Amino acid sequence: MSTPVITLDKVSFSYGEVTALENICLTVEAGEFLGVVGPNGGGKSTLLKLILGLLKPQSGTVTVLGTPAESACRHLGYVPQFIRFDRQFPVTVLETVLQGRLDCTKSLFGYNAEDRERAFEAMRYTEIFDLAQRPISALSGGQLQRVLIARALVGEPEVLLLDEPTANIDPKVEVDVFDLLKRLNETITVVVVSHDIGFISNYISRVACLNRTLVCHATSHISGAMIESLYGTSLRMVHHDTHLSTT
Ligand code: ADP
Ligand code: MG
């Protein structure tokens, strides 16, 4: 029997008066590639922050790798929705990737040989090795996203959580990023938040649809009725080569 890596049991979270999530029950098994979709403000980023232990639910429990979420964050890799660092800051790709080792490194005097080896490995895997000495100000959107994925990987996480990883990059590069995530999923569990339900259905093994509550939690087929109940309107699905239907 497989062990769940993430379990949310009757979880509710509010920011003051604003209820972001209500009574969420969700289980993610080891090795899954889970997509989380839903409208803006539906609670997707809040869900990831609860899993990371950055927020605590007012009710319910979040269990990650068998422990309360806040104790497990060392084993999680996270690519946030909004990049909080200043892109003009004079820092190279290698230095940015190494930041992901801050939680792991035993050395008080900078990074050790193992940290560097892990960083090089993550950069080779994400195909940014040649950019190691490049300042991050001189990267394309797709390259920067790979740097952030490499930074999330150097801590050798068991689960990788990504919040809208392709929101600001062009569709051709989006395919490359998702192909990379698919390869990563051969060894680790991946949870990806996306606005693009049609596109990600090509990659994911399961989808959770969030709009304050968990509207649907399907195993494979995404139907028009599900999309309608999620977004409250009839959406026309265009141009994606998937099994979607809007009938
Ligand atoms: P999504 O990522 O799906 O767009 P969020 O999780 O960011 O949704 O937000 C869910 C709800 O919580 C929204 O109504 C949003 O306005 C609200 N919210 C998010 N962050 C904060 C915050 N720091 N303070 C107050 N309200 C917030
Ligand atoms: Mg969000």
Side-chain angles (χ1 to χ4, degrees), residues 40 44-46 81-82 163-164 193:
N40 258 336
K44 304 181 296 297
S45 297
T46 303
Q81 178 171 15
F82 300 110
D163 199 346
E164 308 263 9
V193 166

mmCIF file of all heavy atoms in Angstrom, residues 40 44-46 81-82 163-164 193, ligand 2:
data_model
loop_
_atom_site.group_PDB
_atom_site.id
_atom_site.type_symbol
_atom_site.label_atom_id
_atom_site.label_comp_id
_atom_site.label_asym_id
_atom_site.label_seq_id
_atom_site.Cartn_x
_atom_site.Cartn_y
_atom_site.Cartn_z
ATOM 1 N N ASN A 40 -8.763 32.754 -9.962
ATOM 2 C CA ASN A 40 -7.997 33.670 -9.114
ATOM 3 C C ASN A 40 -8.682 33.840 -7.778
ATOM 4 O O ASN A 40 -9.895 34.025 -7.732
ATOM 5 C CB ASN A 40 -7.947 35.052 -9.780
ATOM 6 C CG ASN A 40 -6.621 35.262 -10.442
ATOM 7 O OD1 ASN A 40 -5.632 34.637 -10.054
ATOM 8 N ND2 ASN A 40 -6.597 36.133 -11.440
ATOM 9 N N LYS A 44 -5.492 28.632 -4.093
ATOM 10 C CA LYS A 44 -4.434 27.714 -4.532
ATOM 11 C C LYS A 44 -3.111 28.001 -3.816
ATOM 12 O O LYS A 44 -2.465 27.096 -3.298
ATOM 13 C CB LYS A 44 -4.233 27.809 -6.056
ATOM 14 C CG LYS A 44 -5.524 27.542 -6.842
ATOM 15 C CD LYS A 44 -5.315 27.612 -8.351
ATOM 16 C CE LYS A 44 -4.897 28.976 -8.896
ATOM 17 N NZ LYS A 44 -5.904 30.048 -8.682
ATOM 18 N N SER A 45 -2.716 29.289 -3.801
ATOM 19 C CA SER A 45 -1.442 29.632 -3.136
ATOM 20 C C SER A 45 -1.539 29.378 -1.635
ATOM 21 O O SER A 45 -0.573 28.925 -1.006
ATOM 22 C CB SER A 45 -1.082 31.101 -3.389
ATOM 23 O OG SER A 45 -0.870 31.310 -4.769
ATOM 24 N N THR A 46 -2.711 29.653 -1.069
ATOM 25 C CA THR A 46 -2.919 29.407 0.367
ATOM 26 C C THR A 46 -2.745 27.915 0.675
ATOM 27 O O THR A 46 -2.107 27.548 1.668
ATOM 28 C CB THR A 46 -4.321 29.890 0.782
ATOM 29 O OG1 THR A 46 -4.443 31.267 0.446
ATOM 30 C CG2 THR A 46 -4.570 29.688 2.270
ATOM 31 N N GLN A 81 4.984 31.657 -6.362
ATOM 32 C CA GLN A 81 4.298 32.288 -7.490
ATOM 33 C C GLN A 81 4.972 33.595 -7.886
ATOM 34 O O GLN A 81 5.184 33.856 -9.057
ATOM 35 C CB GLN A 81 2.832 32.548 -7.114
ATOM 36 C CG GLN A 81 2.044 33.248 -8.202
ATOM 37 C CD GLN A 81 0.550 33.294 -7.896
ATOM 38 O OE1 GLN A 81 0.131 33.050 -6.762
ATOM 39 N NE2 GLN A 81 -0.238 33.600 -8.884
ATOM 40 N N PHE A 82 5.274 34.413 -6.905
ATOM 41 C CA PHE A 82 5.905 35.689 -7.206
ATOM 42 C C PHE A 82 7.320 35.642 -6.690
ATOM 43 O O PHE A 82 7.551 35.297 -5.544
ATOM 44 C CB PHE A 82 5.140 36.842 -6.550
ATOM 45 C CG PHE A 82 3.725 36.916 -7.011
ATOM 46 C CD1 PHE A 82 2.691 36.584 -6.153
ATOM 47 C CD2 PHE A 82 3.419 37.288 -8.313
ATOM 48 C CE1 PHE A 82 1.370 36.634 -6.584
ATOM 49 C CE2 PHE A 82 2.104 37.340 -8.745
ATOM 50 C CZ PHE A 82 1.076 37.008 -7.884
ATOM 51 N N ASP A 163 4.097 26.995 -7.731
ATOM 52 C CA ASP A 163 2.918 27.858 -7.793
ATOM 53 C C ASP A 163 2.950 28.645 -9.108
ATOM 54 O O ASP A 163 3.763 29.556 -9.266
ATOM 55 C CB ASP A 163 2.922 28.807 -6.588
ATOM 56 C CG ASP A 163 1.552 29.396 -6.326
ATOM 57 O OD1 ASP A 163 0.671 29.298 -7.204
ATOM 58 O OD2 ASP A 163 1.366 29.969 -5.228
ATOM 59 N N GLU A 164 2.104 28.278 -10.054
ATOM 60 C CA GLU A 164 2.032 28.934 -11.362
ATOM 61 C C GLU A 164 3.420 29.079 -12.004
ATOM 62 O O GLU A 164 3.844 30.194 -12.329
ATOM 63 C CB GLU A 164 1.405 30.338 -11.231
ATOM 64 C CG GLU A 164 0.085 30.381 -10.495
ATOM 65 C CD GLU A 164 -1.129 30.381 -11.426
ATOM 66 O OE1 GLU A 164 -0.945 30.170 -12.636
ATOM 67 O OE2 GLU A 164 -2.233 30.568 -10.920
ATOM 68 N N VAL A 193 0.493 24.136 -9.191
ATOM 69 C CA VAL A 193 -0.663 25.024 -9.326
ATOM 70 C C VAL A 193 -0.619 25.637 -10.714
ATOM 71 O O VAL A 193 0.433 26.098 -11.162
ATOM 72 C CB VAL A 193 -0.606 26.148 -8.268
ATOM 73 C CG1 VAL A 193 -1.586 27.264 -8.600
ATOM 74 C CG2 VAL A 193 -0.893 25.582 -6.890
HETATM 75 MG MG MG B 2 -1.959 32.182 -6.305
#
